[in-house]
Amino acid sequence: MSISESPESPLVKSWDLKFQLAMEAIKSFEELSKLPIEQAQELFIQSTKIKVPSNIIVKKVTLDERYRQKSRNHLEKGLKQFEDVIDEKWKEPNDRLYGEWVYAKEEEEIRNNEMDKIVLHMHGGAYYLGSAKSSRSFTIKFAVHAKARVFSIDYRLSPPNQFPAPLCDCLAAYLYLINPGPDAGFKPINPKKIVIAGESAGAGLAFSMLLFLRDAGMPLPGGAIGLSPWVDLTHSMPSFWDDLVDKVDILPKILGGRKIWPSSPAADEYIANVKALSNKISQKKPTIVGHPSFTKVPRFQFYCANEALAIPYASPMLAESLGDLPPILFQVGGLERVRDEVIFFSFKAAFPHEYQIPSYATKNFAKSPFKNPTKIILEVYDDMPHCWHMFSFSKPCKVAFERCCDFIKRVTSVEDNNSSMIDLLKEDVVSPSILISPSLVAMRVSINGEIKELNEADRNCLKYNKIGIVPKEAALASKL
């Protein structure tokens, strides 16, 4: 990768002028961090709206509260060991739960009222921005190119709704699909016909939910897709702090994504809730999975307290084991902050016995029932920043979605979980250099869509010895 020093040329030499201008437009969103949180949330939705094409149908759905109640019951059991570090307000939603169906008009007629390909989508936005509406550039592509029906959920946002409120809503959406009531208008969907997908924090939610479904013994979907997924809330990996990435990526170099200022009703309420939760934690003095570095810095995530950072359903990369999950397709840019965490997650999932890291979170791995390798396809795209999938005009975006949709078609056509990696891949990409093991295919994808093996630098994060430890740079985190 080559950085241009000329102000008149694209920052990255492989980018054309159109890509450069699109990047500059996205970077202008950094101004949102200077606005009151409520205003930033509304402005983000308005500025990311796209016109729905004439061949696409979008239907808004209000989910019956019983789905969220069922989800809440499951989570209360699964999170009991962590309850001392969680704000209990997640159990008391103050609004309805909405989602939307997105599909092509030609899919309007469903034979026997059955659906053979479903994408359950979670939008990105660092857990405090975005909506199903703001992510239609993603959901429409899934619908058109995979010929799938997409259900996108409007989960609750931080800071008023902290972990596990968004997870609760996404799980409710999954329960809606696999066990709908008579008023839903469709029959129960076979979980193996569902692919869970998301971008950025939405992808983090997708993998958090996968882990929870697995741990709770609930039916697993056919597969999952993570587009530039954010799976490490400790920001511990080297690429997050890389100076070269800092010049290029659209994600800000700040723990947690933004500061809580300026003062506003939501900000003031959040600060009061943080203090109350902090007092609760200090009184309970809970002993849960974590590292001393967590409490050496002020709180820096809207989403959860520092003491909760290593809960696997908050930071899925830090789970005790990432084995026994359905097939996963990861796509990450070579020039984005989350690159290393995606690469590490991929290897840890494909080789559960070899990557028992971080030691504080995997000390009981020997007792884990989830030791079978997860089938992983890892794609690292040359010179791409965070969520380049937004740039529909670009070749890397077109290649990425072509590969996503091929994955959706393949995993939803498999009858069981015994499929080989060959079954999950396009025939033209199978080669010894990218077939790392029977459970892992890892590749670089060039600007023109050519397939090659990972760079040596891509593997450096696998040797990193501070995984899951909040870095010293956290001293610059915003203070409450």
Side-chain angles (χ1 to χ4, degrees):
M1 203 259 351
S2 177
I3 295 281
S4 170
E5 298 299 331
S6 170
E8 298 166 357
S9 301
L11 183 60
V12 178
K13 289 187 177 180
S14 65
W15 296 356
D16 59 23
L17 185 57
K18 191 172 184 179
F19 198 99
Q20 173 74 19
L21 293 174
M23 281 293 294
E24 290 174 2
I26 294 296
K27 281 202 166 188
S28 69
F29 284 159
E30 292 179 6
E31 295 300 310
L32 292 176
S33 65
K34 300 176 183 178
L35 300 175
I37 189 72
E38 305 97 322
Q39 189 176 340
Q41 289 172 332
E42 182 59 31
L43 187 59
F44 181 84
I45 292 174
Q46 294 301 320
S47 59
T48 53
K49 282 196 304 186
I50 67 167
K51 184 178 180 181
V52 177
S54 59
N55 66 322
I56 294 295
I57 293 175
V58 175
K59 287 187 176 179
K60 189 171 183 178
V61 176
T62 304
L63 272 68
D64 190 285
E65 191 60 26
R66 68 178 179 271
Y67 299 111
R68 192 149 54 182
Q69 180 61 57
K70 291 178 181 177
S71 173
R72 187 158 57 241
N73 292 342
H74 286 296
L75 284 169
E76 284 182 316
K77 294 177 184 176
L79 294 173
K80 190 166 183 59
Q81 61 181 310
F82 308 116
E83 61 185 3
D84 288 344
V85 298
I86 295 174
D87 187 335
E88 292 187 354
K89 290 183 174 62
W90 73 271
K91 300 177 184 179
E92 305 166 1
N94 57 10
D95 56 4
R96 304 295 300 274
L97 181 56
Y98 300 101
E100 64 180 35
W101 284 104
V102 180
Y103 53 92
K105 282 186 177 177
E106 59 260 33
E107 301 297 316
E108 178 75 34
E109 296 299 326
I110 308 171
R111 184 178 299 175
N112 298 323
N113 202 28
E114 295 179 355
M115 306 186 199
D116 65 346
K117 289 188 294 293
I118 297 294
V119 176
L120 173 56
H121 175 262
M122 293 84 165
H123 67 80
Y127 295 110
Y128 74 91
L129 294 174
S131 67
K133 185 182 296 185
S134 70
S135 285
R136 286 178 184 165
S137 63
F138 296 86
T139 55
I140 289 173
K141 289 186 182 69
F142 286 135
V144 171
H145 299 298
K147 296 188 182 302
R149 289 213 168 200
V150 182
F151 187 71
S152 189
I153 187 68
D154 266 322
Y155 56 83
R156 285 170 282 174
L157 296 176
S158 300
N161 302 293
Q162 297 170 32
F163 173 81
L167 177 59
C168 178
D169 293 351
C170 294
L171 179 58
Y174 186 68
L175 296 174
Y176 163 73
L177 296 178
I178 67 173
N179 190 20
D183 56 339
F186 58 90
K187 295 178 181 179
I189 297 168
N190 179 351
K192 298 305 177 189
K193 300 297 182 182
I194 299 174
V195 175
I196 299 176
E199 69 276 359
S200 194
L205 267 177
F207 298 120
S208 297
M209 188 167 77
L210 274 189
L211 285 170
F212 186 84
L213 292 172
R214 182 201 67 180
D215 295 351
M218 299 171 70
L220 291 170
I225 295 174
L227 310 180
S228 297
W230 182 25
V231 289
D232 174 23
L233 267 61
T234 69
H235 299 309
S236 66
M237 303 301 284
S239 62
F240 191 90
W241 304 100
D242 185 271
D243 289 338
L244 184 62
V245 171
D246 195 36
K247 295 178 181 178
V248 177
D249 200 21
I250 61 176
L251 289 182
K253 191 175 185 177
I254 178 173
L255 288 162
R258 69 161 277 169
K259 298 178 181 178
I260 190 60
W261 57 266
S263 177
S264 72
D268 296 344
E269 180 183 0
Y270 167 73
I271 291 171
N273 289 340
V274 164
K275 290 179 179 177
L277 179 57
S278 179
N279 290 336
K280 170 188 168 183
I281 293 171
S282 64
Q283 292 171 8
K284 295 280 186 178
K285 297 181 179 178
T287 303
I288 65 166
V289 62
H291 187 269
S293 63
F294 292 8
T295 54
K296 290 182 179 179
V297 295
R299 174 164 169 163
F300 58 87
Q301 296 287 2
F302 289 161
Y303 190 47
C304 66
N306 289 17
E307 291 85 352
L309 291 171
I311 295 175
Y313 316 124
S315 291
M317 188 191 81
L318 306 181
E320 182 175 272
S321 173
L322 296 174
D324 287 287
L325 296 173
I328 296 171
L329 169 62
F330 282 120
Q331 293 181 340
V332 68
L335 288 177
E336 60 171 306
R337 297 198 190 284
V338 301
R339 181 194 63 227
D340 286 352
E341 59 197 78
V342 176
I343 293 173
F344 180 74
F345 189 114
S346 299
F347 277 79
K348 181 175 175 177
F351 302 102
H353 291 271
E354 295 182 33
Y355 292 94
Q356 298 175 37
I357 303 170
S359 57
Y360 67 76
T362 58
K363 59 184 177 182
N364 294 317
F365 177 81
K367 299 177 182 178
S368 172
F370 308 115
K371 297 179 180 177
N372 294 311
T374 297
K375 295 180 177 68
I376 300 288
I377 301 172
L378 167 65
E379 300 177 354
V380 183
Y381 284 70
D382 286 352
D383 296 355
M384 288 297 101
H386 190 63
C387 286
W388 76 93
H389 306 76
M390 295 180 288
F391 306 142
S392 302
F393 58 85
S394 70
K395 177 74 172 179
C397 173
K398 292 172 183 175
V399 170
F401 271 105
E402 177 186 335
R403 301 186 63 77
C404 282
C405 293
D406 186 76
F407 177 83
I408 291 168
K409 293 173 184 176
R410 288 174 180 267
V411 295
T412 54
S413 64
V414 172
E415 296 300 323
D416 55 47
N417 289 328
N418 296 320
S419 59
S420 70
M421 292 303 296
I422 305 301
D423 296 325
L424 304 177
L425 285 165
K426 297 181 69 174
E427 291 79 1
D428 61 347
V429 302
V430 180
S431 71
S433 65
I434 66 169
L435 191 59
I436 309 298
S437 78
S439 58
L440 176 63
V441 170
M443 68 189 80
R444 273 269 173 170
V445 183
S446 76
I447 289 291
N448 295 318
E450 297 167 339
I451 303 301
K452 50 191 177 179
E453 61 186 300
L454 292 181
N455 298 337
E456 182 179 348
D458 294 330
R459 296 172 176 266
N460 286 343
C461 67
L462 303 176
K463 307 171 188 175
Y464 188 59
N465 63 4
K466 295 183 180 179
I467 292 171
I469 299 174
V470 178
K472 293 180 179 179
E473 288 88 342
L476 302 176
S478 52
K479 297 181 179 180
L480 296 176

